[in-house]
Amino acid sequence: MDVVKVQEALKQAGVDGWLFYDHHVRDPLAYRILGLDPSMHITRRWFYFIPAKGEPRKLNHRIEAGKLDTLPGERVLYSTWQEMESALEQMLKGSTRIAMQYSPRNAVMYVAMVDAGTIEVLNGMGKEIVSSANLVSRFEAVLTEHQVETHYIAQRKIDRILEDAWREIGSRVRGAGTDEFAMVEFLQAELAKEGLVWEHGPNVSVGPNAADSHYEPVAGKSSSIERGSFVLIDIWGKLKDDPSAVWYDITWTGVVDRDPTELEGRVFRTVVEARDAAIRLVEQRFAAEKPVAGWEPDAAARQVIVNAGFGQWFTHRTGHNIGTELHGAGAHLDNFETHDERLILPMTCFSVEPGIYLPPGPECFGVRSEIDMLTKPGSAVVTGKIQRELVRI
């Protein structure tokens, strides 16, 4: 945690300071940003205030007096709740507009870590509490050049693995046969060979299963992949031996030993047009050096799908931030599940993945087309291959 950099960000944001608060490790963001050990045994409330100008200050309970000793600044101790509130008010003296892990109306719940009661106490002291969401993005989502390179290493490996997977499906279908879970095991083995790690998954979904955006095949409960099948593969991974490594996350779709139906082709083209609308918006804003908030590319992609008559079947946000966590702490592409007003910052990574998931019927399947983007000052680029047609397996 670099106090000078934090204070520069606070001045740019027009706030008087950033107040961190926790109890029982309820705010993992605070521990990561401040460089605290999240395994600490915390049973009493602590506060840490970084003013836009001046020395940081910390407030601890007397029986947990040393919990913030790794951080710079003067320490004040309390025992009673009255003593805590009095010390907190004194700590914040001279500061009015204060950032915290708070989101108005819980619109961006990913940063809404502070309880309403604590906000009420601070409001009662005359403090205006504003969201730290963009500050969190700046210190949690912005990547180093090394991290960008780890993303590209994973990208090259996973793009190659996916190409091999399509060929493997074709070979197995025309041979002894295969199913979703068998192909998941194939993908996992290939990821491991390449020195990559993954969370649950990857995901291989056939036909109606592809219409469930969070379907996961398991051993003993997995659909077969046959001639004529519609197949969706969602695969993600990052370098195993680098704690700072950034994920790569993509989704492609294809058909086995046949041409797509008219409906499959129409749904796929709609999803691709929606994906490209979001990509264009981000590219144009960064090229013009104009701000773009997470909700805006979601709205652009969603409008394409709505106009094509499939709006009710696009049932999730358009994308998510990507960092050392697969779903990172930066802006998501979302004006559906949330209204994400966080700015997409330079040197951040995120997915663009609109989808259409049709209901049960004569043709039941789902299409998602997922790519990743990286931003830099003045530019935004897609980092891997872009699917333009359904794969013919």
Side-chain angles (χ1 to χ4, degrees):
M1 194 273 295
D2 187 326
V3 172
V4 173
K5 286 185 178 179
V6 172
Q7 290 180 322
E8 288 173 357
L10 295 175
K11 291 170 187 174
Q12 292 171 8
V15 296
D16 298 325
W18 191 349
L19 180 60
F20 295 86
Y21 154 74
D22 190 60
H23 180 228
H24 282 286
V25 196
R26 293 178 180 176
D27 182 3
L29 296 172
Y31 287 79
R32 292 203 299 267
I33 293 167
L34 296 175
L36 296 172
D37 181 359
S39 67
M40 282 194 296
H41 186 53
I42 301 292
T43 66
R44 302 297 190 274
R45 289 172 284 185
W46 62 257
F47 295 85
Y48 187 68
F49 183 60
I50 305 177
K53 184 178 180 180
E55 289 297 313
R57 302 155 211 164
K58 43 195 170 184
L59 177 60
N60 291 89
H61 196 281
R62 282 186 174 85
I63 68 171
E64 294 184 350
K67 297 299 185 180
L68 303 181
D69 279 358
T70 58
L71 301 177
E74 179 186 359
R75 180 179 66 187
V76 174
L77 301 177
Y78 75 92
S79 293
T80 69
W81 66 267
Q82 296 95 332
E83 195 177 7
M84 184 199 76
E85 290 190 10
S86 177
L88 182 59
E89 188 165 18
Q90 186 63 31
M91 171 191 279
L92 302 176
K93 190 174 181 180
S95 299
T96 301
R97 196 163 187 262
I98 296 170
M100 294 188 78
Q101 270 75 283
Y102 154 76
S103 177
R105 297 178 57 82
N106 199 28
V108 184
M109 63 276 196
Y110 317 104
V111 297
M113 305 293 178
V114 180
D115 61 275
T118 298
I119 299 293
E120 290 169 357
V121 168
L122 292 161
N123 289 159
M125 296 176 183
K127 308 305 178 184
E128 178 192 359
I129 305 303
V130 300
S131 179
S132 64
N134 282 319
L135 291 167
V136 170
S137 292
R138 181 162 176 169
F139 291 98
E140 277 284 282
V142 171
L143 308 175
T144 65
E145 291 289 354
H146 170 72
Q147 288 180 299
V148 169
E149 180 55 28
T150 68
H151 173 83
Y152 276 111
I153 294 171
Q155 171 261 313
R156 291 188 289 270
K157 292 174 181 286
I158 289 175
D159 280 353
R160 185 169 61 250
I161 290 169
L162 181 59
E163 289 181 359
D164 291 344
W166 294 123
R167 286 191 289 268
E168 184 70 14
I169 288 172
S171 175
R172 292 187 183 193
V173 165
R174 289 180 278 275
T178 192
D179 61 31
E180 296 165 328
F181 187 72
M183 288 309 304
V184 168
E185 291 183 311
F186 170 85
L187 291 169
Q188 289 175 341
E190 294 302 307
L191 288 166
K193 285 180 192 175
E194 291 289 350
L196 300 172
V197 292
W198 59 97
E199 293 177 339
H200 56 86
N203 181 26
V204 179
S205 305
V206 171
N209 295 335
D212 177 354
S213 60
H214 273 190
Y215 170 78
E216 291 185 33
V218 295
K221 188 180 178 183
S222 175
S223 296
S224 62
I225 305 175
E226 304 168 347
R227 284 187 165 97
S229 291
F230 183 95
V231 182
L232 179 150
I233 298 179
D234 187 356
I235 181 171
W236 54 92
K238 68 174 181 175
L239 296 180
K240 179 180 181 180
D241 296 325
D242 187 342
S244 70
V246 173
W247 293 85
Y248 180 64
D249 181 13
I250 55 172
T251 306
W252 284 49
T253 44
V255 290
V256 183
D257 269 351
R258 65 173 174 86
D259 290 329
T261 67
E262 186 278 332
L263 182 58
E264 288 169 344
R266 181 153 47 94
V267 169
F268 177 80
R269 288 191 298 273
T270 301
V271 169
V272 164
E273 289 170 8
R275 178 200 69 198
D276 291 350
I279 292 170
R280 278 194 306 274
L281 176 64
V282 176
E283 288 175 336
Q284 291 167 359
R285 292 288 183 86
F286 269 81
E289 297 186 340
K290 293 182 178 179
V292 55
W295 68 268
E296 294 179 280
D298 178 274
R302 199 166 301 278
Q303 192 59 56
V304 171
I305 292 176
V306 168
N307 290 347
F310 295 111
Q312 64 182 315
W313 311 122
F314 180 15
T315 53
H316 57 71
R317 65 193 175 202
T318 293
H320 58 85
N321 177 256
I322 297 173
T324 56
E325 294 183 337
L326 183 57
H327 292 186
H332 296 329
L333 275 54
D334 193 358
N335 194 34
F336 182 68
E337 299 174 49
T338 68
H339 180 65
D340 201 328
E341 295 184 335
R342 290 176 292 181
L343 298 179
I344 300 174
L345 301 178
M347 297 299 289
T348 60
C349 181
F350 53 90
S351 70
V352 180
E353 49 180 304
I356 295 173
Y357 310 95
L358 298 182
E363 288 191 73
C364 179
F365 60 94
V367 172
R368 183 167 63 256
S369 183
E370 179 180 14
I371 57 86
D372 297 343
M373 295 189 76
L374 271 167
T375 60
K376 291 190 175 183
S379 69
V381 297
V382 176
T383 61
K385 294 184 178 181
I386 304 176
Q387 184 173 14
R388 300 293 181 191
E389 296 181 351
L390 282 164
V391 176
R392 268 61 162 190
I393 305 164

